Amino acid sequence: MENVRRYRALASLCRQQAAYRPLQNWQLLGQAEHFEYLAEVALKAHFEACNAQREDDAIAAAAWESSAAA
């Protein structure tokens, strides 16, 4: 999650700089978009890892309950 914050902060800085540098406006906005994309990818990976862990925990709990019931 720390990477998501960093990427979003960098995107924000790029957008702020774009406001003050009209000659580099498109380049900076492109970099901001790239950092937002990286934040999305990192966030998606984080939630997929969390969901995978939950599924593994649920499978382990079901296996434990079925062996305890037997």
Side-chain angles (χ1 to χ4, degrees), residues 1-23:
M1 290 300 283
E2 185 64 28
N3 286 339
V4 173
R5 276 179 259 179
R6 287 182 184 154
Y7 291 142
R8 293 225 167 118
L10 287 169
S12 178
L13 287 173
C14 287
R15 285 191 294 274
Q16 289 173 11
Q17 288 297 314
Y20 293 109
R21 296 181 180 183
L23 297 178

Side-chain angles (χ1 to χ4, degrees), residues 4-70:
V4 173
R5 276 179 259 179
R6 287 182 184 154
Y7 291 142
R8 293 225 167 118
L10 287 169
S12 178
L13 287 173
C14 287
R15 285 191 294 274
Q16 289 173 11
Q17 288 297 314
Y20 293 109
R21 296 181 180 183
L23 297 178
Q24 296 174 331
N25 187 352
W26 290 107
Q27 180 184 10
L28 290 165
L29 290 175
Q31 287 177 351
E33 186 174 339
H34 179 68
F35 284 124
E36 286 291 340
Y37 170 76
L38 292 176
E40 261 185 61
V41 169
L43 195 59
K44 182 179 177 183
H46 171 75
F47 282 111
E48 286 177 353
C50 288
N51 288 338
Q53 181 64 37
R54 279 193 193 146
E55 289 173 2
D56 292 345
D57 291 346
I59 292 170
W64 186 79
E65 288 173 0
S66 66
S67 66

